[in-house]
Amino acid sequence: MLGSERGVVEEWLSEFKALPEMQISSYAATLHRKKALVPALYKVIQDPNNELLEPVCHQLFELYRSSEVRLKRFTLQFLPELIWVYLRLTASKDRQSNGCIEALLLGIYNLEIADKDGNNKVLSFTIPSLSKPSIYHEPSTIGSMALTEGALCQHDLIKVVYSDLHPQRETFTAQNRFEVLSFLMLCYNSAIVYMPASSYQSLCRMGSRLCVSGFPRQHEKCWKEDCGRVVLDPDFMVQLLTGVYYAIYNGQWEVGQEALDDIIYRAQLELFSQPLLVANAMKNSLPFDAPDASQGGQKVLKVEVTPTVPRISRTAITTASIRRHRWRREDGEGVNGREESVNLNDADEGFSSGASLSSQPVGAKLSSTSQRGSLRKGVSGRSAKDKEISTPTKSTESPRESARLDRKMENAAIINCL
């Protein structure tokens, strides 16, 4: 560690200790301007034998327990590096150099599992109502919402718990280690949009090193670091994948894909089904080329908004409209004495249902088919003549004949539509 970097860290340590309570908010607003501070703190964390490691961990915890959100995020950006160093030292059985980092991780965990009053928190989210439009859907395109709305009104909004109550921990054990670390990664992923690019790089490096250390694939890497095989947990790997997926689309295309491949490699060796499922789904959904880095801001996935224009015309011929025509025709036949109830009605019923044809003999089927074919031709041929007959010049026809011609024209139009 260079003398200039050491001086930056020591200045930061003394500066916060002498800071009055009223100036914490302004201090948090200007902390990101210290460009040399973050790389220097990474150097301290990566060296377990550095004498500044203990005061740095203590100060990071003081920042995290403050009421200022920006100070919490400043500490949270170093979480991937802290986890990597902790697991590396744990695998090497060097517990003595691991004490201050272990205390910092447990302190952040115990702060996050409880609210301001000291009660344990339950992390959950509420499923939104599908009857309200969003950037993903339009209610008009998914049919009636009667059943869904009834369930929501009866049971209020549906709440899904994704992190249940967690007990407080005073020390790490082999049984609770990854329970704590998985929860810490969940907290990191919930604030990942506020993390700088250096934190994304640290996250991807942590994923690669944890998954290949102690395995033959480690010899293919450019980094040479003495580390044994690190035991991993499937839930922790899923949380790791969540952060890596975001980093891939936010400026870390190459290192993110490398971390993704290394996680798949380790999941295949361990036969972890859930990380394999998530990682393969991520890999198969990636584009061939990196996202456009020329656009400013965050590079997020594009979502196509569903158009709100109705896709079916109001005048389109549908099954419902054909049924309305048929009911209207049958009602008209009932009023006029139900005459001519054989020719056109039988043809229409035979066309709309195949069950009646299947129950008839073969000869009957052929004869009925030929009759329907000739009937359609006759109806279509007569439709033009009926139009001429129904002109105002033909004033001598009776009302019954006029109604019968109208029914024939309506039936012909329905058959042509079918």
Side-chain angles (χ1 to χ4, degrees), residues 322-330 348-349 352:
I322 294 175
R323 287 173 184 161
R324 285 197 300 270
H325 282 295
R326 184 176 300 165
W327 293 338
R328 192 182 306 157
R329 182 195 62 206
E330 292 176 353
D348 193 24
E349 294 296 330
S352 61

Side-chain angles (χ1 to χ4, degrees), residues 9 42 56 62 77 109 130 181 222 229 233-234 288 369 392-393 399:
V9 175
Y42 273 112
V56 164
E62 291 296 329
Q77 68 176 315
Y109 167 81
L130 293 178
L181 296 181
C222 59
R229 185 173 301 182
D233 180 77
F288 292 103
T369 304
T393 56

Side-chain angles (χ1 to χ4, degrees), residues 172-187:
F172 275 112
T173 63
Q175 288 75 26
N176 65 22
R177 178 176 294 116
F178 280 102
E179 177 187 349
V180 174
L181 296 181
S182 299
F183 182 79
L184 290 177
M185 283 302 303
L186 177 65
C187 298

Side-chain angles (χ1 to χ4, degrees), residues 196-213:
S198 59
S199 184
Y200 298 154
Q201 296 171 5
S202 175
L203 174 69
C204 296
R205 288 197 304 265
M206 177 191 71
S208 293
R209 295 180 180 184
L210 286 178
C211 291
V212 303
S213 293

Side-chain angles (χ1 to χ4, degrees), residues 341-357:
S341 60
V342 178
N343 295 332
L344 295 177
N345 284 342
D346 290 344
D348 193 24
E349 294 296 330
F351 182 82
S352 61
S353 174
S356 59
L357 293 177

Side-chain angles (χ1 to χ4, degrees), residues 10 18 61 76 148 235 268 276 285 294 306 316 322 343 350 356 360 390 399 416:
E10 291 177 346
F61 179 71
L76 207 59
T148 304
D235 294 334
Q268 289 174 343
L276 268 178
S285 66
S294 61
T306 306
I322 294 175
N343 295 332
S356 59
Q360 298 176 359
S390 60
N416 289 334

